[in-house]
Amino acid sequence: MAVAVKTSGGFCNAQQQWLHSTRDLFLYGYSHSNAKECKSKKTKRPASLRVKATSTKVELDFNDPSWKQKFQEDWDNRFNLPRITDIYDLKPRPTTFSLTKQRTPTGDEDSTPKDMWNGYVSNDDRALMKVIKYSSPTSAGAECIDPDCSWVEQWVHRAGPRKDIYYEPNEVKAAIVTCGGLCPGLNDVIRQVVFTLETYGVKNIVGIPFGFRGFYEKGLKEMPLSRNLVENINLAGGSFLGVSRGGPKTSEIVDSIQARRIDMLFVLGGNGTHAGANAIHDECRKRKLKVSVVAVPKTIDNDIPLMDKTFGFDTAVEEAQRAINSAYIEARSAYHGIGLVKLMGRSSGFIAMHASLSSGQVDVCLIPEVPFALDGEYGVLQHLEQLIKNTGFCVVCVAEAAGQELLQNSGATDASGNAILSDIGVHMQQKIKTHFKGIGVHADIKYIDPTYMVRACRANASDAILCTVLGQNAVHGAFAGFSGITSCICNTHYVYLPVTQVITAPKRVNHKGRMWHRCLTSTGQPDFR
């Protein structure tokens, strides 16, 4: 066998609030549009309120005393991890993964030495997805299942090495592929995947160059990987294997996997890459191939649902602060200076929000989840005018997807199928210039776009640790026979999730949540609507 590693790319009044945020829809798998509308405008709960699960046929009637049990059964079904044993009748073998070589007599008559290490995870271990019990759907950031905000335990599979594995390490060929755009920490994950594979005893490890393109592009050959080769790649940014967007048809990728005799495929990437990994997993199952496809979530936008964070996000926030600090210094040093910083965030404003909150130097933070007006009495431009009048300078931070409704949409998409966004940063720069010129007030605008500087840097300590654990757990998951899963962190615990549950739609900032409230408190900005 060989192992390859690849890296890429309604409800009435108060009742409508309990299923308001986008994150709730992802977390619980229910659709607001499928809920029965209230027959009156009273806040009293309707006699029968059913919500259909997006990934099952199950319907919940909250007046049914057994609805919690049905919900948990549905949850367990949706979060059950796919395994190669679903299509193969395989017998497990004792793991080859152990961190201790020490052996000692047990005191038994036969004095048979046994391993002293006890660091394995049981297949029955679970971690709670959420730990806060909200008393009311009107509580800040409330995530509720039913209108009464009932507490229901939601368990997910704990990640880590198992005592039993389903591959013979010396027969495995493993491959690693990195897809999508660059992200801090890619090399850290590649490194740890290789290290952990070798700890199991795998000797045939390859890297697929330049994303999924490496499976079909002529002239792109798989790269043999070893501990000695990847030992220091974490000291640099970028991807040791290279990245690209898009790729061939799923069937062509699986054809290549078959031809290369790959047994494990580790896919590093974001939302689109996870969808691609799931398609590869499905095609492998369709062909009854004994191939474990395991994803590792990579996106600096932090926009994959259910997870605490994805690797690269902490580093992106830290680097974004440098840009914000530069804008602050420029603005404060200029007469009527305005520092304008555009940060990444294709569909969510997590980087902009966290960078603004952590820097403490931002006066206005604009994210795609919260609509805003530039013009008018309550618009952003009027607020900037007041800031210049009162303090003499100001700093604005805007996420790249913010305010797209104010711009002309080209309708173009990139190779991954993502919409190419209009440049809100340049648009705001011109609007600010025009506004202050129109009122006869001098304004010195300093515009900073650090996008590629943020993506290309080396992972910081926090992300490096996260990458290390995610990479190791990805290998543990593959050897445990799981496929179609992603290695991630939820509620501070490292877990495995089915890829199907994290590709529904991007995670977005909850504008009713406490973190956004904290950001507003820090900036002091009003409602720009």
Side-chain angles (χ1 to χ4, degrees), residues 123-142:
N123 281 331
D124 294 327
D125 286 354
R126 298 292 187 271
L128 268 178
M129 178 64 74
K130 69 170 188 174
V131 294
I132 299 178
K133 182 184 184 303
Y134 296 96
S135 63
S136 166
T138 59
S139 296

Side-chain angles (χ1 to χ4, degrees), residues 147-424:
D148 292 330
C149 238
S150 302
W151 171 261
V152 182
E153 294 179 350
Q154 297 157 62
W155 299 97
V156 291
H157 291 253
R158 185 184 178 200
R162 269 61 173 172
K163 285 186 177 180
D164 294 325
I165 59 176
Y166 290 87
Y167 288 92
E168 291 291 338
N170 59 355
E171 298 177 0
V172 167
K173 180 180 181 181
I176 307 169
V177 60
T178 52
C179 308
L182 289 181
C183 176
L186 283 171
N187 286 336
D188 298 72
V189 178
I190 295 170
R191 180 174 181 263
Q192 286 300 322
V193 169
V194 173
F195 282 10
T196 311
L197 286 168
E198 289 197 352
T199 302
Y200 272 93
V202 178
K203 295 179 175 59
N204 194 355
I205 309 171
V206 300
I208 307 299
F210 300 106
F212 290 134
R213 182 181 298 273
F215 279 110
Y216 74 98
E217 190 83 20
K218 292 182 179 179
L220 294 180
K221 298 181 180 180
E222 61 187 33
M223 305 165 56
L225 300 176
S226 66
R227 186 184 189 100
N228 290 338
L229 186 63
V230 302
E231 181 75 44
N232 296 315
I233 63 173
N234 61 310
L235 302 181
S239 170
F240 180 72
L241 301 178
V243 296
S244 70
R245 297 189 183 278
K249 295 179 180 179
T250 302
S251 59
E252 295 174 343
I253 294 176
V254 178
D255 287 343
S256 180
I257 289 174
Q258 278 189 276
R260 297 167 189 254
R261 298 183 180 275
I262 292 171
D263 305 294
M264 297 179 181
L265 178 64
F266 300 95
V267 185
L268 284 60
N271 304 81
T273 301
H274 272 63
N278 188 64
I280 294 171
H281 159 75
D282 286 342
E283 182 66 18
C284 287
R285 288 171 72 90
K286 179 181 177 182
R287 301 188 190 187
K288 291 182 167 42
L289 301 178
K290 186 187 175 185
V291 178
S292 286
V293 181
V294 180
V296 182
K298 172 231 71 174
T299 166
I300 64 173
D301 290 349
N302 195 36
D303 60 353
I304 301 182
L306 303 177
M307 306 172 187
D308 290 358
K309 62 181 177 180
T310 52
F311 78 80
F313 175 67
D314 278 354
T315 306
V317 171
E318 185 173 312
E319 290 300 311
Q321 282 188 93
R322 302 180 195 276
I324 290 173
N325 184 59
S326 296
Y328 172 82
I329 293 173
E330 288 282 356
R332 185 173 183 178
S333 301
Y335 176 65
H336 286 180
I338 299 177
L340 174 62
V341 180
K342 185 185 78 171
L343 298 175
M344 295 186 73
R346 184 187 304 278
S347 58
S348 60
F350 287 103
I351 294 179
M353 176 178 70
H354 282 255
S356 297
L357 185 59
S358 58
S359 72
Q361 298 170 322
V362 174
D363 300 289
V364 175
C365 177
L366 304 174
I367 60 175
E369 293 85 349
V370 181
F372 60 89
L374 288 176
D375 301 300
E377 182 180 359
Y378 301 106
V380 174
L381 297 175
Q382 179 65 30
H383 184 60
L384 297 184
E385 186 179 329
Q386 289 299 314
L387 288 171
I388 291 297
K389 179 180 178 181
N390 295 334
T391 63
F393 70 97
C394 60
V395 176
V396 180
C397 179
V398 58
E400 63 176 325
Q404 290 297 302
E405 66 278 5
L406 306 176
L407 308 172
Q408 185 175 357
N409 187 352
S410 65
T413 59
D414 61 19
S416 298
N418 301 310
I420 296 178
L421 303 174
S422 300
D423 197 327
I424 184 64

